[in-house]
Amino acid sequence: MNDDNELDPVARLRAADPAAGVEPRPGFVEDVIAQSTAETPDAAADDSTSAAVTDLGAERARRRPRWLVVAAVAASVAIVGGAGFGIGTLTAGSTELAAAPISLGTAQEGATQESSAFDAASGKMAGPGVNDTMMPYGYGRNVFSASGLSTDGGTAPAYAYDARAASNTETVAALAAALGVEGTPVLKDGSWTVGPQDGSGPSLFVGLDGTLGFSYSDPAINPWNCGPMTVEPATPDDAVIPEMPACEPPVADLPSEAAAIDALRSLITAAGRDADAFEYTSETWEGAVTRMAQAWPVVDGQRIDQSWSVELAKAGIVSASGALAGLVALGDYEIVSEQQAFERLSDPRFGAQMTAMPFAATEGPAGLMTEEWVPPTEPPATPTAGSSVAWPVNDVKIVSARLGLSSQWQPDGSVIVVPAYEFTDADGGTWSVVAVTDSKLDFSTE
């Protein structure tokens, strides 16, 4: 196999995910969890027994209905596909999705860190005061427990992005033409560019990274563009700063979901990729004036975490991004068992961090944080002689495991899509580790 255009598509239900990326109303997730666990009134009691080691088989049987319902709300149901290099699409009508992407990053990456104070007595967070290394649920010290994990290893396929095959004038020009960008592709200073790069018109940028990532924007049709803003520089003696003109909120006139997905499929096809090798979702939110659509490459029944996206207004595509490079097979790699992967969670070489916060944590306090921070009126009391040293440790109980794929960036910038395990804990958080055996991992540093 040379690229994903040569793969035979597996017949799949074509459906749009109406929940993908949509912000739920306040309390929505709590309502769903309450409904989905109504038949198991003892669940709360079970969860409170933190000292017991979880029996994975029992937890899978008891918890699966709950997690499937909650995960469906988040548009990330983990439905593992069949063997082989299967690909699929999602357009309109069904809620069946490929498994969600697995990330080997951390929940903190790309997020703004907020300082908070830690209440040692309650194990919860308060207001400003202490950095987030003290935060529970993945940000501090953890002890993991589980039982019933498989001890069988095996093999699993791996893939790589073939960026050099797509890095040429023809591919970039075809994408530019589909986006309506005029000009000849120019390769300079580590990237391909088409069109003006100063914001004066539609432009396309393609980086020479491991996925050949591109970005496009058209400021002329951006509904939020207020037009050129010129401010006369103030004289040294003039302390008054001229006022900047404010944007008037545009009137919502949203394109349809089908239009956004069709626009994205057209871009993928123009770039020489197989549009049927992706799953599609579309989203918007209250007050939006554009509609977003995403396309996820699907391999072996699972989405890959290098998606394409477009932002569509009535006047056309406002912005777009994606990975021009196609996938090539690297063959099968030996992988560790679920039990061995679980043990990697406690191995500092694998730097285990939470890759998704518990659902309750993303929805609000829900017992994870104090409801309201009360400013102190005086400093804390001076510790007395012999006082214990606070050393909070999170008890993380793993209740399920799945094998999938995750993108891993190499030191030279290339990108390999490798087998990875994702573990779900009793609170709904996820933890991921690479599944490849030590013999195929290069632990050296440069």
Side-chain angles (χ1 to χ4, degrees):
M1 183 190 71
N2 294 322
D3 57 47
D4 52 4
N5 290 333
E6 298 178 12
L7 304 175
D8 294 329
V10 177
R12 300 178 61 85
L13 296 176
R14 299 176 176 267
D17 177 15
V22 177
E23 293 292 332
R25 60 173 172 78
F28 177 76
V29 170
E30 288 86 347
D31 292 345
V32 173
I33 293 176
Q35 294 172 11
S36 64
T37 56
E39 70 279 6
T40 56
D42 60 334
D46 291 345
D47 288 345
S48 65
T49 313
S50 59
V53 175
T54 302
D55 180 83
L56 187 58
E59 287 292 344
R60 278 174 172 157
R62 183 172 71 84
R63 290 182 177 271
R64 184 172 291 117
R66 172 187 179 186
W67 296 123
L68 283 180
V69 172
V70 178
V73 174
S76 59
V77 179
I79 303 173
V80 179
F85 197 168
I87 56 179
T89 60
L90 186 69
T91 51
S94 170
T95 57
E96 182 175 349
L97 301 175
I102 291 179
S103 170
L104 290 176
T106 68
Q108 301 107 301
E109 288 182 357
T112 301
Q113 298 185 358
E114 298 181 358
S115 298
S116 301
F118 183 78
D119 183 344
S122 65
K124 300 175 182 178
M125 301 306 299
V130 180
N131 65 50
D132 66 0
T133 60
M134 300 293 288
M135 286 187 68
Y137 302 98
Y139 289 87
R141 309 168 191 95
N142 309 291
V143 58
F144 298 91
S145 61
S147 65
L149 291 168
S150 171
T151 58
D152 297 330
T155 62
Y159 307 90
Y161 280 91
D162 189 3
R164 289 192 177 182
S167 182
N168 53 65
T169 302
E170 293 75 21
T171 300
V172 176
L175 179 62
L179 289 164
V181 183
E182 298 181 355
T184 301
V186 176
L187 180 58
K188 183 181 179 182
D189 297 332
S191 64
W192 291 95
T193 58
V194 186
Q197 301 299 303
D198 58 2
S200 61
S203 64
L204 174 64
F205 174 92
V206 182
L208 299 184
D209 58 70
T211 66
L212 212 65
F214 76 87
S215 62
Y216 160 83
S217 65
D218 185 353
I221 63 173
N222 187 335
W224 289 102
N225 191 346
C226 301
M229 291 186 281
T230 58
V231 178
E232 293 296 329
T235 64
D237 297 330
D238 186 2
V240 179
I241 300 176
E243 292 186 2
M244 302 291 285
C247 276
E248 290 294 331
V251 177
D253 188 15
L254 291 176
S256 67
E257 177 180 295
I261 292 176
D262 286 346
L264 189 48
R265 289 180 64 92
S266 297
L267 291 184
I268 292 171
T269 300
R273 302 286 297 281
D274 182 3
D276 286 337
F278 293 76
E279 268 188 354
Y280 297 85
T281 60
S282 180
E283 61 188 29
T284 187
W285 55 93
E286 185 176 353
V289 294
T290 59
R291 182 179 290 277
M292 301 293 297
Q294 301 79 31
W296 305 86
V298 177
V299 178
D300 296 337
Q302 178 184 293
R303 293 180 180 183
I304 304 300
D305 53 359
Q306 304 294 332
S307 63
W308 290 51
S309 68
V310 296
E311 180 185 10
L312 188 68
K314 279 292 187 180
I317 296 176
V318 175
S319 64
S321 62
L324 284 180
L327 287 168
V328 295
L330 298 182
D332 287 346
Y333 278 61
E334 291 186 357
I335 61 171
V336 298
S337 66
E338 290 181 353
Q339 178 62 35
Q340 290 173 306
F342 165 75
E343 293 168 2
R344 285 181 170 182
L345 294 177
S346 301
D347 186 334
R349 294 178 304 168
F350 296 94
Q353 291 288 339
M354 184 174 288
T355 52
M357 293 292 287
F359 291 106
T362 61
E363 283 301 302
L368 299 184
M369 300 182 182
T370 53
E371 292 185 2
E372 182 179 357
W373 177 66
V374 178
T377 58
E378 59 181 348
T382 303
T384 59
S387 296
S388 297
V389 178
W391 193 263
V393 177
N394 308 310
D395 179 18
V396 181
K397 296 188 293 184
I398 298 300
V399 298
S400 66
R402 73 178 175 100
L403 177 65
L405 293 166
S406 182
S407 297
Q408 175 67 12
W409 291 75
Q410 303 299 285
D412 65 356
S414 61
V415 181
I416 299 177
V417 180
V418 297
Y421 281 106
E422 181 181 80
F423 296 97
T424 301
D425 65 34
D427 292 312
T430 61
W431 307 75
S432 303
V433 295
V434 65
V436 177
T437 59
D438 286 13
S439 64
K440 281 295 185 181
L441 294 178
D442 182 0
F443 292 106
S444 64
T445 58
E446 294 186 353

